[in-house]
Amino acid sequence: MSKQKSRNTQTEILLRRALHALGLRYRLHRRPVKGVRREADLVFPSVKVAVFVDGCFWHGCPQHATWPRNNAEFWRAKIEGNRSRDVDTDARFAEAGWLVVRVWEHEPPQRAALHVHEVVMQRRVARGL
């Protein structure tokens, strides 16, 4: 499992390309909130939007998650821990004024990009940018 990519996955790259085509510019793999050791996949600093691309297996996707039979207790604890950390991350970012957008790896990149674009544009309007 150590060979699994955590950055620049195919899903992430396709999302980035779609966002770029929509005219959005972003920062990659940043820790936007000081004191919180959580790295967002894409960050829009001016509007405080952080995008996380979640893998179906690693984050327990309700549609596609599978529970391994080998070493089942370990994997259940690992995936449930990831889910708990995701909830904690969302809360900590919200406290700091950030909006978290989560994208599942199975989502079509174009649809996910349109959702992120809409969120970023709404925040720009709300902030007068």
Side-chain angles (χ1 to χ4, degrees):
M1 289 298 173
S2 65
K3 302 243 186 239
Q4 293 292 321
K5 290 175 80 171
S6 63
R7 289 179 165 205
N8 302 320
T9 63
Q10 183 69 20
T11 305
E12 193 179 316
I13 290 170
L14 292 173
L15 176 62
R16 291 184 340 214
R17 285 181 184 162
L19 288 170
H20 197 272
L22 290 171
L24 293 180
R25 302 300 179 259
Y26 42 79
R27 301 283 179 245
L28 297 176
H29 306 290
R30 299 285 170 97
R31 291 180 180 170
V33 180
K34 298 261 190 259
V36 179
R37 293 187 52 199
R38 310 283 163 75
E39 185 178 278
D41 296 311
L42 302 170
V43 177
F44 298 88
S46 64
V47 292
K48 290 191 169 188
V49 173
V51 179
F52 291 86
V53 180
D54 292 340
C56 290
F57 175 78
W58 298 105
H59 295 268
C61 171
Q63 290 180 342
H64 300 103
T66 57
W67 297 103
R69 291 189 183 123
N70 291 338
N71 210 1
E73 280 185 41
F74 168 81
W75 286 111
R76 183 162 295 274
K78 171 72 174 154
I79 293 167
E80 291 297 333
N82 289 347
R83 284 177 162 176
S84 295
R85 190 180 62 245
D86 292 345
V87 169
D88 180 61
T89 299
D90 293 354
R92 287 176 179 229
F93 278 43
E95 282 177 22
W98 284 78
L99 178 64
V100 171
V101 177
R102 292 202 173 266
V103 175
W104 288 106
E105 74 175 332
H106 69 264
E107 288 184 59
Q110 202 60 35
R111 186 171 63 188
L114 288 173
H115 174 66
V116 171
H117 183 268
E118 181 181 325
V119 168
V120 169
M121 290 302 148
Q122 287 175 353
R123 295 280 284 209
R124 281 184 180 168
V125 169
R127 292 176 178 264
L129 300 176

